[in-house]
Amino acid sequence: MKQLWALLFLSCLCTGLFTKAHSEKPKVVKIGSIFSFDSVIGKVAKIAIDEAVKDVNSNPDILIGTKFSVSMQNSNCSGFMGMVEALRFMEKDIVGIIGPQCSVVAHMISHMANELHVPLLSFAVTDPVMSPLQFPYFIRTTQSDLYQMDAIASIVDFYGWKEVIAVFVDDDFGRNGVAALNDKLASRRLRITYKAGLHPDTAVDKNEIMNMLIKIMLLQPRIIVIHVYSELGFAVFKEAKYLGMMGNGYVWIATDWLSTNLDSSSLLPAERLETIQGVLVLRPHTPDSSLKREFFKRWRKVSGASLALNTYALYAYDSVMLLARGLDKFFKDGGKISFSNHSMLNTLGKSGNLNLEAMTVFDGGETLLKDILGTRMVGLTGQLQFTPDRSRTRPAYDIINVAGTGVRQIGYWSNHSGLSTVSPESLYTKEQPNMSLGTTSPKLRHVIWPGETFTKPRGWVFSNNGKELKIGVPRRVSYKEFVSQIRGTENIFKGFCIDVFTAAVNLLPYAVPVKFIPYGNGKENPSYTHMVEMITTGNFDGVVGDVAIVTNRTKIVDFTQPYAASGLVVVAPFKKLNSGAWAFLRPFNRLMWAVTGCCFLFVGIVVWILEHRTNDEFRGPPKRQCVTILWFSFSTMFFAHRENTVSTLGRLVLIIWLFVVLIINSSYTASLTSILTVQQLSSPIKGIESLRERDDPIGYQVGSFAESYLRNELNISESRLVPLGTPEAYAKALKDGPSKGGVAAVVDERPYIELFLSSNCAYRIVGQEFTKSGWGFAFPRDSPLAIDLSTAILELAENGDLQRIHDKWLMKNACSLENAELESDRLHLKSFWGLFLICGVACLLALFLYFVQIIRQLYKKPSDDAIARDQQQNHDSSSMRSTRLQRFLSLMDEKEESKPGSKKRKIDGSMNDASGSTRSRGFDRERSLNSVNPLD
C-alpha cells in the first residue's frame, strides 16, 4: 500500500513539473532575419522565410505552444548597414538570426553574435574564411565556396587545361573565393595566371571592365573563371561579347551567381542571354524529393509566377526549419529563454548616449547552438547535417551549360564521387567513389562552347601582346654541330637542336615569336643545370639546346618530348689483337688442349684393349703396338685411321668418339675462322663498373651533368674527375693516358661520343650505356607550349623530318673502320707461318732421322762376297766413291726387310713364320746385291 502511494506521489510530481516547464515556455519566440531585400537572392528568401515561419507555427509537432515571430531587416549587402540592423535586433531579445546574405555583413555581425551568444544561420554566405574557430556562433546552412572551387578545379583538370584567369569582385566574398580556387588548382598542379579584381560598388564602371578585359586578351590563357555579383557579372559578359571574347577559343566558367539568376528568371532578356552563350555554370545541387516538388507547386501560388524559385530560397526555408527544430530540442531539454546584461556594455553605455546597455546576452545561446548543430533533418535541400568543421555533409553541384534559349545539364560534382553524369545521391551507396561509373562512362556530357562549337578549346593561345619569348641557348665552344652562335651576330644560332626547334614551332597552329639569348662566356661550355634554373627565376621563358632530361631538372621545369636519344657511355683507348703466328692455338685454352689430347690417348688405349685379342692389326711386338695406339688415336682427328675394328664394343666406342671429334673439329674451325677474319679489339676497361674499381682519372665534358652523376650517383671521388672542353682535349687526354697526365676513359653522352668517334678511330665505346635519357626543350612548369611542342616533335619523327635534320648535321664520314674490317678479312702469311714452321721442322727432322738410318746401313760391314766382288771390279779410289754412291742410292731405293708380325706375315699367316722369313730375307739380300751394279 505504501508503494502505491509513493508511485502516485511521483506521478503527480512529474506531471506538475512538466506543467510548470510547459507553462514557462514563451508563447512567442523572436527571431531575426537580415539580408538584401532587393537582390535576386533576397527577393526569394523573403518569401521562403515567411512560408517557413508559417509552416513552423502550423506544425503541431514543433514548438508546441510556441510561435515564431520573425523580424526582417535590409542590409543591402553593406557592412555598415548590416551592423546597424544587427544592433537593432539585439535590443529585441532575439534568440537567432536567419542570415546574413553577404560575406561583408557576416564578418561584421559575427563578432557581435559571439559576444551576445546569438546563433547566425546563414543561407547565402559561401565565404570559406568564416571559420567556426573564429566565429563559433556562425552556422552555414548553404555550401561553402571551398567545395564550389574544388568543382571548378576538377573541371579545369578534366579538360586538361593548366592555367586560368580569375575575374572577381574585390571584397571578402570575391577574394576569399579566389584564394580557395587557387589552393584547389595548386593541389592539381594547376594555377591562376592572372587575377582581375573589380570594384564591389553597385555602380558598374564600363571603362574599368573594358580595361580589365583588354589586359586579359593579351594573356595566353583562355580559361576565365568569373566570381562576382549579378549585375557586375552581366556587365562583364556584355563587354566581353563586344570585344569578341565570347567566341571560339574562350572558356567561361561562372560560379553560382549566374545559375541563381537563371533559375530566378523564367526567361532572361534576349540581349543578356546572347552574351552568355556557351558558358559553364555551377549550381548548388539539391536532390529531387517529394517535399521539394510540393514546395515548387506551392511556390507558384505564393509568388504568383512573377518570381521563379532558386536554390537559395530552399536554403532559407531549411534554415528557419533548422532553427525551429533546434529550439524545440532546447525547450524539451529544459532550456529557458532568458537574457542578461553584458558587463562591458553596461559600463560603456553609462558613458555615452548609444544605449548599449539595451543589448542583452542570450543566456541559453550556447546550449541552443549545440542543439542546432546536433539536429539531423531532411529538408528541401536534402539531408541537413554538419561535419565537425561546421560544413554541410554531402556537398554537390550541378554543372550546366548555357545554350540557345536555356540551359542544359552536362553533369554533377560531389566531394564523394567527383565529376559524373549520374546524380550524387545515387552514388552514395557505392562502396568506392569514382569507380561506380565504370571505366567507359563519361564524366561530363558534351558541351556547346562559346562560338557554338563542340570542339574542346585548347585553353590558351600565344599572347599577341608583341612580347617575344626569351629562349636561352647555350654558347658552346665544342661540338658546335648541335648548337652554335653565328659569328658576328648576337641572337642568331644554328645547329641540329636549333633546326629541330624551328621545325617544331613551324608545325604549331599559332605563331610563336622567340628571341634567342646566348648563355655562357664563350670560352667554355656553360653549366646546363644553372641555365635551366634561370627559367624558374624568370630570366628565360624556355631553354633550347642539347639539354639532357634528368631528374633534378624535371623537378623545376617541364620538358618536351625527347627529340634525341641520349645516355652516358664510356669511351676508352683499345688495341688490336693480331692473329699472330700461334693463332691456331687460341681457339682452345690450355686446359682444353690438355683434355683433348688425353682423350685421344684414352680412346686409343680403350680401342686397343677391345681389339687386341681378336684383331691382328692390334697385335705384334710391344713397340709396334704402342705406335699403333698412338697412330690410331691421333689419326681419328682427321678420320684417317686405317686399322679396322672388328669387335662390337670397339666399334661402339669408335663411332661415339668420331662424333665427338666431329664436334671438336667444327668448333675449332669456326673459332679459328673468327680469330683470323674478324678484327679483335681489346681494352683494359670493360665498362663503368671496371672503371669505378680502378683508381685512374676519368674525363668528362665541361657543363655536362656527367660530373654530378659520377660524383653523386656513382660515388666517384672528385679528385679523379678531369674536366675536358673539346674533342681535341678528349683525344689528347686518352692518348696520354694516366701515366702522362691524361685519363683512362671519358664519360659523356652518346651523341657527343658518336660525333667524337667519327673522326677518332683509336677509341671505342666500352661496355653498355649505363643511363637512359634524352634531349628536350625546357619550359616553365605546366607550360602548354611544352605540350604542343611535344606533339610537333612526334609529328617530325613520324614524317621523317627529324631524321633528315639529324643526317644534315650529324651524318659524318666514319674513319677507316670499314676498310680496316675489309683488310682483316684477308689472310696474311703472318697468321700461318707458325704452322708452316711446325710442318717444316717435322719434315726436316724426319729426313734427318731417315738419312741417319741410311748412313748407318751404308757403313755397316759388308759381306765377304760383296768385298771380293768390289775388289775385282775396281781397286782405285775413284771407283770406290762411285761404288759407295751407287750403294747409297740403292739403299734408298730398296724395300726394307719385313719383320715378324708385319703385314706380309698377316697375308701369309698359314706359312711357317721362321722358315718363310729366312727365305724371304735371303731372297731380298740376293736381289739387293745383284742390283748394286746395274752394269753387271
Side-chain angles (χ1 to χ4, degrees):
M1 193 66 180
K2 293 181 180 179
Q3 294 178 348
L4 180 62
W5 281 105
L7 289 173
L8 182 61
F9 174 76
L10 289 174
S11 176
C12 294
L13 179 62
C14 292
T15 304
L17 290 174
F18 176 78
T19 305
K20 183 178 180 182
H22 183 73
S23 62
E24 289 181 358
K25 286 176 56 179
K27 294 184 178 180
V28 176
V29 175
K30 298 178 182 179
I31 64 172
S33 181
I34 183 169
F35 52 91
S36 181
F37 291 173
D38 296 330
S39 65
V40 175
I41 295 177
K43 292 177 181 179
V44 295
K46 186 176 185 301
I47 300 175
I49 292 172
D50 286 336
E51 293 301 310
V53 171
K54 292 178 183 179
D55 291 344
V56 169
N57 292 335
S58 62
N59 191 334
D61 297 329
I62 303 176
L63 296 177
I64 302 173
T66 302
K67 300 295 184 183
F68 255 4
S69 173
V70 60
S71 174
M72 300 184 185
Q73 300 293 341
N74 184 9
S75 68
N76 201 25
C77 281
S78 167
F80 175 74
M81 291 302 301
M83 180 181 63
V84 171
E85 298 299 339
L87 289 173
R88 294 175 61 185
F89 276 144
M90 299 309 172
E91 297 177 346
K92 301 178 181 179
D93 293 339
I94 298 295
V95 299
I97 297 177
I98 306 299
Q101 173 188 337
C102 302
S103 298
V104 176
V105 179
H107 280 274
M108 294 292 295
I109 68 173
S110 290
H111 294 284
M112 188 181 303
N114 291 346
E115 294 294 330
L116 302 182
H117 297 178
V118 178
L120 300 177
L121 284 76
S122 176
F123 59 89
V125 172
T126 57
D127 185 356
V129 175
M130 298 297 295
S131 167
L133 297 177
Q134 183 181 8
F135 305 112
Y137 284 84
F138 176 83
I139 303 174
R140 191 197 323 270
T141 59
T142 184
Q143 299 182 28
S144 170
D145 274 342
L146 194 67
Y147 299 109
Q148 181 170 212
M149 298 309 170
D150 197 0
I152 293 176
S154 297
I155 295 172
V156 174
D157 189 33
F158 171 71
Y159 286 111
W161 301 317
K162 298 296 183 182
E163 298 178 346
V164 303
I165 295 173
V167 177
F168 63 98
V169 57
D170 196 5
D171 62 3
D172 292 336
F173 163 74
R175 285 191 301 269
N176 296 334
V178 170
L181 175 62
N182 188 67
D183 293 340
K184 295 300 181 181
L185 290 173
S187 66
R188 294 169 171 82
R189 288 190 59 186
L190 313 175
R191 67 190 184 103
I192 299 176
T193 303
Y194 179 71
K195 299 177 183 178
L198 295 173
H199 201 280
D201 286 349
T202 54
V204 177
D205 189 342
K206 179 179 178 181
N207 293 330
E208 180 187 1
I209 296 175
M210 186 71 72
N211 293 334
M212 179 267 296
L213 292 176
I214 291 175
K215 290 181 181 179
I216 292 176
M217 290 179 65
L218 299 178
L219 301 176
Q220 293 183 5
R222 286 295 182 262
I223 314 300
I224 304 172
V225 177
I226 180 167
H227 184 55
V228 293
Y229 299 128
S230 300
E231 293 302 320
L232 187 58
F234 283 115
V236 170
F237 280 125
K238 179 180 179 181
E239 301 304 325
K241 177 72 173 178
Y242 175 78
L243 294 175
M245 297 176 67
M246 299 303 297
N248 289 335
Y250 283 90
V251 175
W252 290 83
I253 303 176
T255 53
D256 56 7
W257 67 267
L258 182 55
S259 61
T260 301
N261 279 268
L262 293 172
D263 293 340
S264 300
S265 303
S266 56
L267 184 63
L268 282 178
E271 60 274 10
R272 281 196 169 182
L273 196 60
E274 184 67 23
T275 62
I276 59 174
Q277 293 295 305
V279 177
L280 292 181
V281 189
L282 272 73
R283 175 174 58 198
H285 175 74
T286 54
D288 188 27
S289 64
S290 58
L291 288 176
K292 182 178 174 181
R293 289 192 294 270
E294 289 296 328
F295 191 77
F296 265 88
K297 294 179 182 178
R298 178 179 168 188
W299 183 268
R300 296 188 186 97
K301 299 177 181 179
V302 173
S303 64
S306 61
L307 189 64
L309 182 66
N310 62 42
T311 307
Y312 285 101
L314 304 180
Y315 284 127
Y317 181 94
D318 281 352
S319 298
V320 176
M321 299 301 296
L322 177 64
L323 179 57
R325 292 184 179 276
L327 278 170
D328 185 59
K329 187 174 184 301
F330 173 79
F331 288 136
K332 288 180 179 179
D333 292 341
K336 298 180 180 180
I337 302 297
S338 63
F339 297 90
S340 60
N341 294 327
H342 195 287
S343 59
M344 294 184 63
L345 292 179
N346 288 336
T347 304
L348 292 174
K350 294 178 180 179
S351 61
N353 298 323
L354 294 178
N355 196 26
L356 296 177
E357 64 274 9
M359 292 187 294
T360 55
V361 178
F362 178 29
D363 297 330
E366 185 174 356
T367 303
L368 177 60
L369 175 66
K370 293 179 180 179
D371 291 337
I372 293 173
L373 294 175
T375 299
R376 297 184 180 182
M377 58 171 281
V378 177
L380 300 180
T381 57
Q383 179 72 34
L384 185 52
Q385 183 181 347
F386 296 100
T387 63
D389 64 349
R390 304 277 185 92
S391 298
R392 286 193 60 163
T393 58
R394 300 183 177 183
Y397 285 86
D398 300 334
I399 304 173
I400 59 179
N401 178 213
V402 181
T405 58
V407 297
R408 45 192 295 269
Q409 186 154 339
I410 63 171
Y412 304 89
W413 177 91
S414 74
N415 68 334
H416 172 78
S417 58
L419 297 174
S420 71
T421 54
V422 181
S423 62
E425 53 269 14
S426 63
L427 299 177
Y428 288 125
T429 57
K430 305 295 181 181
E431 294 183 359
Q432 294 184 359
N434 296 324
M435 298 297 292
S436 58
L437 299 179
T439 55
T440 59
S441 178
K443 291 187 176 182
L444 292 177
R445 299 184 182 92
H446 292 296
V447 179
I448 301 177
W449 302 101
E452 299 182 356
T453 177
F454 285 97
T455 304
K456 185 199 78 171
R458 188 170 64 247
W460 77 287
V461 296
F462 198 82
S463 58
N464 55 357
N465 55 5
K467 293 178 61 177
E468 296 177 319
L469 284 182
K470 297 177 293 183
I471 302 297
V473 182
R475 183 186 289 176
R476 294 194 59 88
V477 297
S478 62
Y479 298 111
K480 294 188 176 182
E481 293 85 351
F482 295 106
V483 57
S484 63
Q485 186 177 12
I486 297 178
R487 181 171 299 182
T489 64
E490 294 184 1
N491 308 108
I492 303 178
F493 288 79
K494 64 179 181 179
F496 168 70
C497 304
I498 301 299
D499 280 7
V500 173
F501 177 74
T502 303
V505 168
N506 291 337
L507 292 177
L508 298 179
Y510 48 86
V512 180
V514 299
K515 179 181 180 181
F516 292 136
I517 300 176
Y519 179 77
N521 55 20
K523 298 179 181 179
E524 62 180 8
N525 294 333
S527 170
Y528 280 49
T529 300
H530 293 163
M531 181 171 59
V532 170
E533 289 175 352
M534 293 186 70
I535 296 177
T536 62
T537 60
N539 296 87
F540 293 146
D541 297 319
V543 168
V544 170
D546 45 340
V547 183
I549 304 173
V550 293
T551 304
N552 62 333
R553 296 173 185 172
T554 58
K555 293 179 180 179
I556 58 176
V557 297
D558 279 351
F559 283 91
T560 62
Q561 173 79 15
Y563 61 88
S566 181
L568 293 179
V569 294
V570 179
V571 61
F574 71 96
K575 62 180 179 179
K576 298 180 181 178
L577 295 179
N578 297 322
S579 54
W582 309 104
F584 66 91
L585 296 175
R586 287 171 54 191
F588 294 160
N589 60 17
R590 294 178 181 179
L591 181 61
M592 182 63 181
W593 280 116
V595 172
T596 303
C598 292
C599 286
F600 274 108
L601 292 176
F602 176 74
V603 171
I605 293 172
V606 170
V607 172
W608 176 80
I609 294 172
L610 297 174
E611 295 290 327
H612 177 67
R613 297 183 61 192
T614 59
N615 193 339
D616 290 338
E617 294 185 1
F618 289 88
R619 297 187 66 84
K623 181 179 179 180
R624 187 174 183 276
Q625 292 184 49
C626 291
V627 173
T628 301
I629 291 174
L630 293 174
W631 165 255
F632 179 82
S633 299
F634 290 100
S635 63
T636 55
M637 182 186 299
F638 311 103
F639 307 98
H641 54 286
R642 293 182 296 177
E643 291 77 9
N644 294 321
T645 53
V646 296
S647 67
T648 302
L649 293 176
R651 290 177 177 178
L652 177 63
V653 171
L654 182 61
I655 194 169
I656 294 175
W657 173 244
L658 291 178
F659 176 75
V660 174
V661 170
L662 174 64
I663 300 301
I664 293 175
N665 278 344
S666 301
S667 302
Y668 177 87
T669 303
S671 179
L672 183 60
T673 302
S674 174
I675 291 172
L676 295 176
T677 59
V678 177
Q679 191 176 43
Q680 303 293 314
L681 306 179
S682 175
S683 172
I685 299 173
K686 306 303 180 184
I688 188 62
E689 291 301 326
S690 63
L691 189 61
R692 289 178 62 186
E693 295 171 357
R694 299 163 65 96
D695 198 28
D696 295 329
I698 304 171
Y700 67 91
Q701 184 182 173
V702 175
S704 172
F705 78 96
E707 177 193 8
S708 61
Y709 185 86
L710 294 173
R711 188 177 63 251
N712 300 329
E713 301 297 331
L714 301 183
N715 298 319
I716 295 177
S717 173
E718 189 173 359
S719 60
R720 294 179 56 190
L721 303 180
V722 179
L724 302 173
T726 62
E728 292 76 15
Y730 282 20
K732 184 179 185 303
L734 290 171
K735 182 179 180 181
D736 293 344
S739 61
K740 297 182 180 180
V743 297
V746 171
V747 175
D748 204 351
E749 296 178 68
R750 179 176 286 275
Y752 302 124
I753 295 302
E754 289 178 346
L755 197 60
F756 169 74
L757 295 179
S758 66
S759 57
N760 293 272
C761 298
Y763 314 104
R764 287 289 183 275
I765 294 176
V766 293
Q768 299 294 322
E769 186 176 293
F770 57 93
T771 65
K772 294 290 185 181
S773 61
W775 288 353
F777 305 130
F779 293 94
R781 295 295 295 270
D782 303 319
S783 170
L785 186 58
I787 299 174
D788 290 351
L789 280 177
S790 296
T791 304
I793 290 172
L794 290 175
E795 186 175 347
L796 288 175
E798 292 172 357
N799 61 25
D801 287 345
L802 188 60
Q803 185 62 41
R804 283 187 283 272
I805 296 174
H806 176 275
D807 295 344
K808 171 186 174 183
W809 289 98
L810 306 180
M811 185 64 72
K812 302 294 183 181
N813 294 327
C815 58
S816 56
L817 180 61
E818 295 181 358
N819 295 333
E821 291 178 352
L822 291 175
E823 185 67 20
S824 67
D825 292 340
R826 299 172 183 173
L827 301 179
H828 301 275
L829 177 62
K830 63 181 180 180
S831 300
F832 299 96
W833 71 265
L835 290 173
F836 291 139
L837 177 62
I838 292 174
C839 185
V841 169
C843 293
L844 292 176
L845 181 61
L847 287 175
F848 175 74
L849 296 176
Y850 176 75
F851 286 129
V852 169
Q853 294 176 1
I854 295 297
I855 292 172
R856 288 179 63 189
Q857 292 183 17
L858 181 64
Y859 285 96
K860 265 186 171 184
K861 183 178 179 180
S863 64
D864 297 336
D865 294 338
I867 294 173
R869 191 180 300 110
D870 291 341
Q871 290 176 350
Q872 293 175 1
Q873 290 178 354
N874 197 348
H875 296 281
D876 56 13
S877 61
S878 60
S879 60
M880 181 64 72
R881 287 192 296 270
S882 176
T883 300
R884 289 179 176 176
L885 178 61
Q886 291 177 0
R887 191 178 174 200
F888 177 76
L889 295 175
S890 297
L891 287 173
M892 290 183 62
D893 183 59
E894 74 177 3
K895 183 178 180 182
E896 190 175 2
E897 297 176 357
S898 299
K899 298 179 181 179
S902 65
K903 192 174 181 180
K904 174 70 177 176
R905 182 182 176 185
K906 294 175 184 177
I907 297 174
D908 301 328
S910 61
M911 299 173 62
N912 188 296
D913 55 347
S915 61
S917 298
T918 303
R919 287 193 297 270
S920 177
R921 285 195 298 271
F923 176 77
D924 290 341
R925 185 179 295 111
E926 181 180 358
R927 189 181 64 176
S928 174
L929 293 173
N930 291 335
S931 61
V932 171
N933 191 351
L935 297 177
D936 291 345

